[in-house]
Amino acid sequence: MERPGQQKMAEAIATAVEREEHLLVQAGTGTGKSLAYLVPSLLVDGPVVVSTATLALQSQLVDHDLPRLADAVEPLLKRRPTFAVLKGRHHYLCLARLEGTSAEEPDDGLFDVGEAKPTRWLGEAGRLGKHIERLRDWAMETDTGDRDELDPGVDDSAWKLVSMPARECVGAARCPYGAECFAEASRARAREADIVVTNHSLLAVDMLSGRMIIPPHKLLVVDEAHELADRVSSASQAELTPELLERAARRCRSYVDDDVADRLMEAGDTLTVALADAPAGRITGGLPPVLGEALTLLDGGGRKALDAIGEVKADDADPVRKQQAKTMVGDLTKIAQRILSGSEHDVTWIERDDRGRRAVVVAPLSVAGTLNTHLFHERTVVATSATLALGGQFDTVARSLGLPVTTPSPALATGASPAEAAREAVVRAAAARDEADLAWSSLDVGSPFDYAKQGILYVAAHLPRPQTSGLSDAAATEMVELVQALGGRTLGLFSSRKAAERAAEVLRARAPGITILLQGEESLPILVRKFRDDRNSCLLGVMSLWQGVDVPGDACQLVIIDRLPFPRPDEPLAAARSAAVDASGGSGFAAVSVPIAAVRLAQGVGRLIRARTDKGVVAVLDSRLETARGYGPYLRASLPPFWYTTKPDLVRGALRRLSAT
């Protein structure tokens, strides 16, 4: 089947490589963008790296697309193209860790703080012992040591005992198992391959470590590129907990005097007090005194511990454990120093979860500068996704990726003062000067789907503006009427767990005969399978469903979105970034919150039409998508061109006709 968008994208990539010009490509669902970038990649004179955000896409490329493509082009190229998968070191079995692991002597991070270790130990020892024995047998059989090839798998606590984080590795030269190392073997295969498939997390770590992990290459294709900036931000993020400090003190006690280890324990105790007293949320106006004291203790104790541990040598009694201790203490010390420095480029906050876990977290305010410096230089970058042109323009995503942009920022979308306009002009002039060194172009190849004929975008403009985090009575009634008109086949995407639970409660009470599946009541794969198999069902959930569900066909013909997915006011990074824009005279809401909502909304809306034969309705129960003059049109322009209406009777009629098919 001919796909004009796919061909157009492939030609644009070939041109970009020839000109050594970076390219942003929006390719809607159904374009076949994987082959559109893999085919020209085989014509590049040098290695190519493809980075994905999800394991699902990585598996599709390695298990399906690349083998088929290699079969097809082998007669033309007179050789078979080669490809390899490259993952983080912790994805591979570590023979040194496996050799030193015993179910009778678990890793000191096994137990949760506050639990009675002897009681937990009885159950953990038996369960972990079985897993370890399975892993020992598997180590004798596997060629790759890749965790994803272990079937059935083991849980995270067991895998942690037999894998090695990159920063704790002593290196092949100093490891007694260096010659047999699975992680090193994967890197060797990647160095010889025509195409290397990796993930955004490893790509981020590679950039932050000076591009020393991924083999040199001429072309980098970033698929699912709308997620890259967040992955780099996550890789740049660090946290401290009392448990981590206690573990570091135990690990280094064999290599330092007791008073040095005790100082780290004291830092952990002080941090416990600091986190118990501090409210969750962003820290502004300086560190609380007790938190500052804990970090100062950690900084001093960490320096002394590092001096005492000294250099790790191949002839040390246990170089692996010594390296682990040194790395852990070194990392925690650097985090303390980073937070104490109070850099204006960082955001620091206190985090708590439902289980009572507390942490102090630090992350960069922006990663655009990091990406500008490390992503684009000495290689051509093609960034692609179904959601790159927000509001119909590529500029917002380009800015987030560190590319120079000469058009006004979204902060001016709601109107600019003369001072704002002047500042923006300076920014555009600076970007123009950089353009020659970082040239880029953009392309929207559209989608093979006829959205205006296949789907309806319905906004319930008559509903009151959402006020609380739950589901209002009016929105609940609207939801029930839509679901009943279709008879199920509904994916409900909600902004909070509270709203999803309320929706499930209402539908179970007022829509008898329809099966209601709620995220969290069973594992997500099981829920999706049940939803796909039962036409009289509804699947309701929160943010992870907005991107992670692919149900083509008539199993999903109605997508309900309860409210526009703006970041919550208590999301520390989004709030800090918004405040920074406000402080510079712009609109933080327009520059930060609206683009985040645009990406999330486009991803959620994209769950409806997954094939040429799909039909259905997207119903947004948030009247602001119609009534907000400033950002409503921007958000609608970020969505596929569905037939648009605000008339509920018309939509219910369309759903009833669909239910009869």
Side-chain angles (χ1 to χ4, degrees):
M1 179 179 64
E2 183 177 350
R3 298 184 182 183
Q6 184 184 63
Q7 183 173 348
K8 189 175 181 181
M9 179 176 173
E11 292 171 350
I13 292 173
T15 300
V17 172
E18 181 181 352
R19 295 177 178 175
E20 297 184 347
E21 179 180 273
H22 309 298
L23 177 66
L24 305 185
V25 185
Q26 176 160 286
T29 305
T31 300
K33 67 179 185 298
S34 298
L35 286 180
Y37 59 68
L38 290 176
V39 170
S41 294
L42 292 177
L43 302 178
V44 174
D45 183 22
V48 174
V49 171
V50 177
S51 180
T52 74
T54 61
L55 288 175
L57 179 54
Q58 184 170 297
S59 298
Q60 175 191 316
L61 292 174
V62 173
D63 299 333
H64 182 70
D65 294 344
L66 279 167
R68 288 179 57 207
L69 182 59
D71 290 340
V73 302
E74 184 174 3
L76 300 174
L77 297 179
K78 308 301 183 185
R79 68 178 185 88
R80 184 175 180 81
T82 58
F83 54 90
V85 182
L86 186 60
K87 303 176 183 178
R89 189 173 288 273
H90 63 283
H91 280 279
Y92 300 95
L93 181 73
C94 174
L95 296 174
R97 289 296 306 274
L98 182 65
E99 176 65 23
T101 295
S102 167
E104 285 73 32
E105 297 179 3
D107 179 82
D108 54 14
L110 175 64
F111 299 108
D112 293 333
V113 171
E115 291 184 317
K117 294 183 181 181
T119 302
R120 169 101 180 260
W121 165 236
L122 293 175
E124 291 292 337
R127 181 181 61 83
L128 287 175
K130 293 178 181 178
H131 284 322
I132 297 301
E133 288 308 310
R134 270 196 59 223
L135 288 165
R136 291 189 194 282
D137 293 339
W138 181 64
M140 303 297 292
E141 303 169 0
T142 178
D143 293 327
T144 67
D146 186 340
R147 181 182 182 181
D148 292 332
E149 296 180 9
L150 177 62
D151 185 22
V154 297
D155 62 27
D156 290 345
S157 61
W159 187 258
K160 180 182 176 182
L161 298 178
V162 298
S163 61
M164 181 72 72
R167 291 188 57 80
E168 296 182 7
C169 178
V170 298
R174 290 184 291 182
C175 178
Y177 294 91
E180 307 166 74
C181 178
F182 291 119
E184 292 295 325
S186 73
R187 280 153 177 73
R189 289 191 295 270
R191 287 191 293 270
E192 300 298 322
D194 296 310
I195 296 178
V196 176
V197 180
T198 188
N199 56 75
H200 290 357
S201 296
L202 187 60
L203 178 64
V205 172
D206 182 60
M207 286 188 283
L208 295 172
S209 61
R211 287 174 49 174
M212 301 294 290
I213 301 172
I214 297 174
H217 50 280
K218 297 188 67 173
L219 172 64
L220 169 65
V221 178
V222 182
D223 203 343
E224 301 171 310
H226 63 281
E227 294 198 36
L228 180 61
D230 284 343
R231 298 301 175 91
V232 176
S233 183
S234 295
S236 306
Q237 180 174 308
E239 70 173 27
L240 293 174
T241 67
E243 297 80 22
L244 285 173
L245 270 61
E246 180 185 348
R247 194 179 308 164
R250 290 201 303 270
R251 282 191 174 182
C252 73
R253 196 172 285 276
S254 300
Y255 312 104
V256 303
D257 294 337
D258 286 345
D259 63 321
V260 175
D262 290 344
R263 188 165 182 177
L264 292 176
M265 293 292 288
E266 182 185 358
D269 293 340
T270 308
L271 183 60
T272 299
V273 174
L275 295 179
D277 294 339
R282 187 160 57 103
I283 298 173
T284 57
L287 295 173
V290 181
L291 178 57
E293 180 185 352
L295 297 175
T296 301
L297 284 169
L298 172 56
D299 181 23
R303 292 172 190 261
K304 288 183 177 296
L306 290 172
D307 288 342
I309 294 172
E311 183 182 355
V312 179
K313 301 176 181 178
D315 57 357
D316 283 334
D318 193 339
V320 174
R321 287 187 179 274
K322 187 175 181 181
Q323 181 66 46
Q324 286 180 307
K326 183 176 182 179
T327 298
M328 190 171 196
V329 173
D331 287 348
L332 295 179
T333 303
K334 288 178 182 177
I335 296 169
Q337 294 167 353
R338 179 180 174 184
I339 298 174
L340 286 169
S341 72
S343 170
E344 63 179 6
H345 302 297
D346 276 336
V347 181
T348 304
W349 67 92
I350 304 296
E351 191 170 86
R352 299 187 183 192
D353 62 21
D354 296 337
R355 297 171 297 174
R357 180 182 180 275
R358 295 177 172 91
V360 55
V361 187
V362 61
L365 182 64
S366 170
V367 296
T370 298
L371 288 166
N372 176 280
T373 302
H374 299 293
L375 178 61
F376 298 99
H377 295 283
E378 298 181 355
R379 60 186 172 193
T380 299
V381 176
V382 173
T384 183
S385 169
T387 50
L388 288 186
L390 304 181
Q393 302 292 327
F394 286 86
D395 295 351
T396 299
V397 169
R399 279 190 186 87
S400 73
L401 294 176
L403 287 169
V405 176
T406 58
T407 54
S409 74
L412 304 181
T414 55
S417 67
E420 287 174 303
R423 275 189 292 270
E424 183 71 19
V426 172
V427 173
R428 294 201 302 273
R433 289 194 297 271
D434 292 339
E435 189 75 36
D437 296 328
L438 208 58
W440 65 279
S441 59
S442 60
L443 173 68
D444 185 350
V445 300
S447 169
F449 304 150
D450 190 342
Y451 284 105
K453 291 184 178 180
Q454 290 182 249
I456 297 173
L457 174 60
Y458 163 59
V459 178
H462 61 283
L463 293 179
R465 180 189 179 102
Q467 296 295 330
T468 64
S469 62
L471 190 68
S472 70
D473 291 342
T477 298
E478 183 81 16
M479 173 192 67
V480 171
E481 292 175 351
L482 293 170
V483 170
Q484 287 178 328
L486 183 60
R489 300 184 239 175
T490 301
L491 176 64
L493 305 176
F494 294 89
S495 55
S496 68
R497 179 72 189 172
K498 180 180 178 182
E501 290 174 345
R502 168 67 174 154
E505 177 186 355
V506 170
L507 285 170
R508 284 167 176 163
R510 296 164 57 181
I514 296 177
T515 303
I516 305 303
L517 307 169
L518 178 62
Q519 186 179 7
E521 293 184 344
E522 293 184 86
S523 71
L524 188 55
I526 291 175
L527 289 173
V528 172
R529 177 177 56 77
K530 289 184 175 181
F531 178 53
R532 185 182 291 116
D533 294 342
D534 184 358
R535 285 165 53 95
N536 297 317
S537 68
C538 298
L539 175 58
L540 314 179
V542 290
M543 193 55 65
S544 58
L545 286 186
W546 290 61
Q547 296 188 61
V549 175
D550 188 2
V551 185
D554 61 5
C556 178
Q557 293 188 307
L558 173 60
V559 174
I560 294 178
I561 296 173
D562 70 324
R563 64 166 57 208
L564 299 178
F566 293 112
R568 298 192 316 270
D570 60 351
E571 290 185 26
L573 271 178
R577 289 164 180 168
S578 183
V581 176
D582 288 339
S584 68
S587 167
F589 177 74
V592 178
S593 297
V594 172
I596 290 174
V599 172
R600 292 175 178 175
L601 187 62
Q603 289 291 317
V605 167
R607 299 307 95 199
L608 181 67
I609 304 298
R610 311 299 294 175
R612 290 175 183 264
T613 55
D614 288 352
K615 293 182 179 180
V617 173
V618 174
V620 180
L621 309 184
D622 190 332
S623 57
R624 294 175 294 176
L625 188 56
E626 164 65 18
T627 60
R629 294 183 179 180
Y631 59 81
Y634 177 90
L635 293 178
R636 294 199 301 273
S638 303
L639 304 178
F642 291 108
W643 193 83
Y644 180 72
T645 185
T646 59
K647 299 178 179 179
D649 291 342
L650 186 152
V651 170
R652 287 194 291 269
L655 290 172
R656 281 191 287 269
R657 288 190 294 275
L658 273 177
S659 70
T661 60

